[in-house]
Amino acid sequence: MSPYVTMPLVFEGVPEAEMQGRADAFLARMRKRRTVRDFSDRPVPRELIETAVRVAGTAPSGANQQPWSFVCISDAQRKKLIREGAEEEERAFYAGRAGEEWLDALAHLGTDDQKPFLETAPWLIAIFAQRWGHDAEGNRIKHYYVPESVGIATGFLIAALHDAGLATLTHTPAPMNFLNELCGRPDNEKALILLVVGYPKEGCLVPAIGKKPLEEIATFL
Ligand SMILES: Cc1cc2nc3c(=O)[nH]c(=O)nc-3n(C[C@H](O)[C@H](O)[C@H](O)COP(=O)(O)O)c2cc1C
C-alpha cells in the first residue's frame, strides 16, 4: 500500500464578482458544441491533440488509477483499416443487429452504415478503458470505477477540443474489439469510444435537436 503523503493545494480562486460571468461564458461556449458527421480533410497540428489529451489526463479517476489509453491516429492507412472495421460492424448493426427500437431512436440523427469521416477527418482518438492494470512486478491489479473514470476523461477531452476550435464526433461502432488489434492495445483494454476530430466541412449540416432545460435535468433540494 502506498503511504499517504500530502502537499499544499494550489487553488486559483476567481474573484466573486467575476464568478457568474465566467460560468455564463463557459455555458455559452459549450452550447456551441455539436457532434459533426461531415468533416473536412484540413490538417490539425499534432500539438493541439497532445494538449487536449493532456487535459483529459487531468480528470479525476477511481483511486487515481487513470485507467485510460488514448490512441491518436493520423496515419491514412490505419484510418482506412479502422473505417473498414467500423463499417463492417455498422452494416450488421443497421441490417438488424440493433433491433427496431434502437434504430427508431437513431432515426432523427440520419446516421447509416457509411463512415467516410473515419478517413476524411485528420485525427481519430481511440479511447480505451483499462479493465485491470499491472503493478511494478507485473501482477494484475484491480481497477475501480473504470467506465465512470474514462467517461469523465472523455468529457474533458471533448470540451478541450471544442474549446480549441475543433469539432468532434463521439463514435461507437459496436462491438469495437477490432480496434485492439488495429491500435496495438492489450487484452486488458476495452475500446469505449472512437472520437473523430477535425474541422467541419464547409456547409456542414447537423440534426435540428435541442437540449433539455434545467428544470428537466436538475432538482434542488
Ligand atoms: C456514448 C455515445 C455514443 C455515441 N455514438 C455515436 C455513434 O456511434 N454514431 C454517431 O453518429 N453519433 C454517436 N453519438 C453522438 C450522439 O448521437 C450525439 O451526441 C447526440 O445526438 C447529441 O448531439 P450533439 O452532440 O450535437 O449535442 C454518440 C454519443 C455518445 C455520448
Side-chain angles (χ1 to χ4, degrees):
M1 211 195 305
S2 309
Y4 173 56
V5 181
T6 61
M7 62 186 184
L9 169 70
V10 180
F11 182 76
E12 282 182 15
V14 174
E16 218 170 303
E18 287 174 31
M19 288 172 77
Q20 190 59 49
R22 293 256 302 240
D24 290 340
F26 188 65
L27 171 61
R29 180 89 192 105
M30 291 306 287
R31 275 189 168 149
K32 296 211 168 91
R33 184 208 56 78
R34 285 304 311 274
T35 290
V36 160
R37 298 181 180 83
D38 204 4
F39 282 84
S40 117
D41 61 1
R42 181 177 159 196
V44 169
R46 172 174 161 160
E47 203 180 351
L48 273 180
I49 303 296
E50 286 180 357
T51 304
V53 174
R54 284 195 178 101
V55 172
T58 68
S61 62
N64 195 35
Q65 288 173 318
Q66 305 164 61
W68 43 63
S69 298
F70 299 91
V71 180
C72 308
I73 303 140
S74 62
D75 174 69
Q77 180 56 22
R78 211 175 286 253
K79 285 194 294 179
K80 183 172 186 288
L81 293 173
I82 289 176
R83 177 184 177 181
E84 285 167 9
E87 285 186 341
E88 192 178 323
E89 298 300 351
E90 294 286 270
R91 271 194 296 277
F93 179 88
Y94 284 95
R97 193 202 280 150
E100 214 169 305
E101 192 175 353
W102 197 345
L103 291 180
D104 275 354
L106 291 174
H108 70 293
L109 299 176
T111 52
D112 59 28
D113 58 14
Q114 296 302 300
K115 308 293 168 188
F117 48 74
L118 293 175
E119 282 191 84
T120 319
W123 288 95
L124 305 178
I125 306 180
I127 303 167
F128 289 83
Q130 298 170 351
R131 290 176 291 182
W132 66 88
H134 297 99
D135 66 13
E137 283 80 46
N139 302 309
R140 188 167 157 156
I141 52 170
K142 195 166 161 38
H143 277 169
Y144 300 93
Y145 295 110
V146 173
E148 294 86 344
S149 302
V150 182
I152 292 170
T154 301
F156 276 36
L157 178 61
I158 292 170
L161 291 164
H162 172 68
D163 194 52
L166 292 165
T168 57
L169 161 62
T170 310
H171 186 33
T172 45
M176 277 188 274
N177 308 346
F178 70 94
L179 283 174
N180 281 67
E181 197 188 325
L182 290 178
C183 297
R185 301 314 300 172
D187 282 353
N188 65 320
E189 297 194 2
K190 179 179 163 52
L192 286 193
I193 284 167
L194 184 56
L195 200 68
V196 186
V197 185
Y199 296 96
K201 200 194 246 176
E202 189 79 25
C204 171
L205 298 175
V206 292
I209 54 174
K211 298 295 175 186
K212 294 178 181 174
L214 181 68
E215 302 70 48
E216 256 185 70
I217 62 170
T219 310
F220 294 81
L221 301 175

